[in-house]
Amino acid sequence: MTLDDVKLIQLPKFLDERGNLSFFENENQIPFSIKRSYWIYDVPGGEMRGGHAYKSLQEFIVALSGSFDVVLDDGRDRKTFSLNRSYYGLYIPRLIWRQLENFSTNALALIVSDQVYSAEDYIYDYEEFSKRKEG
Ligand code: TYD
């Protein structure tokens, strides 16, 4: 997997005077079936989340509120995606190093993934990640 496999996906949006609506569904807007949803919120200024890769998990991240940056690294290149609209989401395949940072006040990050939580799927050591990418 490389940064070329990462996709910023625009979601459907229904603009309405009563308020707007966006959505995503399994394997329509996103290329996997959702097994888990979680969200990150109340992040103090200057804090970072993530700082790891997943061995096999794929995920999709939406800034439901506020903004934050997703910094991605495939072992060769590094790219930052700034998420600040609730009708865009970032698809991240497995084996991409990822860190969330620069959270605005009231930022709300929704993350859905194709696997339930498993500590064994995490790679916390960047050296180990690099070796896997080479191998
Ligand atoms: P972690 O994935 O390390 O957070 P981040 O990558 O955003 O910095 O998770 C923090 C803690 O929450 C860790 O103890 C595991 C737990 N956790 C779950 O129990 N279920 C989950 O779905 C997630 C994402 C984390």
Side-chain angles (χ1 to χ4, degrees):
M1 294 296 161
T2 72
L3 291 179
D4 289 340
D5 300 303
V6 171
K7 287 186 182 66
L8 188 63
I9 297 172
Q10 182 166 4
L11 300 171
K13 62 179 171 185
F14 288 90
L15 302 181
D16 192 307
E17 287 167 2
R18 299 170 301 155
N20 303 331
L21 182 151
S22 289
F23 66 88
F24 53 89
E25 295 178 334
N26 277 355
E27 299 181 49
N28 283 329
Q29 289 74 28
I30 58 172
F32 59 81
S33 278
I34 299 165
K35 274 244 178 85
R36 174 167 57 125
S37 310
Y38 65 96
W39 44 100
I40 295 174
Y41 54 99
D42 289 348
V43 178
E47 289 292 342
M48 297 173 186
R49 300 296 311 224
H52 53 71
Y54 296 108
K55 293 173 192 165
S56 61
L57 176 151
Q58 325 170 53
E59 63 184 350
F60 184 68
I61 304 179
V62 183
L64 284 185
S65 166
S67 62
F68 52 87
D69 293 340
V70 185
V71 184
L72 301 180
D73 181 328
D74 63 5
R76 282 184 56 153
D77 299 308
R78 185 166 277 235
K79 192 167 175 184
T80 298
F81 291 86
S82 292
L83 299 184
N84 55 16
R85 293 279 181 267
S86 57
Y87 53 86
Y88 272 97
L90 188 64
Y91 166 71
I92 308 174
R94 70 192 181 93
L95 282 180
I96 300 284
W97 191 267
R98 54 81 137 175
Q99 182 159 294
L100 277 59
E101 59 186 45
N102 201 19
F103 285 85
S104 70
T105 305
N106 288 332
L108 171 59
L110 173 69
I111 298 146
V112 297
S113 62
D114 68 340
Q115 293 179 30
V116 296
Y117 176 74
S118 163
E120 286 80 57
D121 197 53
Y122 283 63
I123 306 171
Y124 280 114
D125 179 21
Y126 190 82
E127 286 298 306
E128 187 193 333
F129 169 72
S130 294
K131 283 207 191 95
R132 266 177 193 264
K133 297 303 276 186
E134 286 161 17

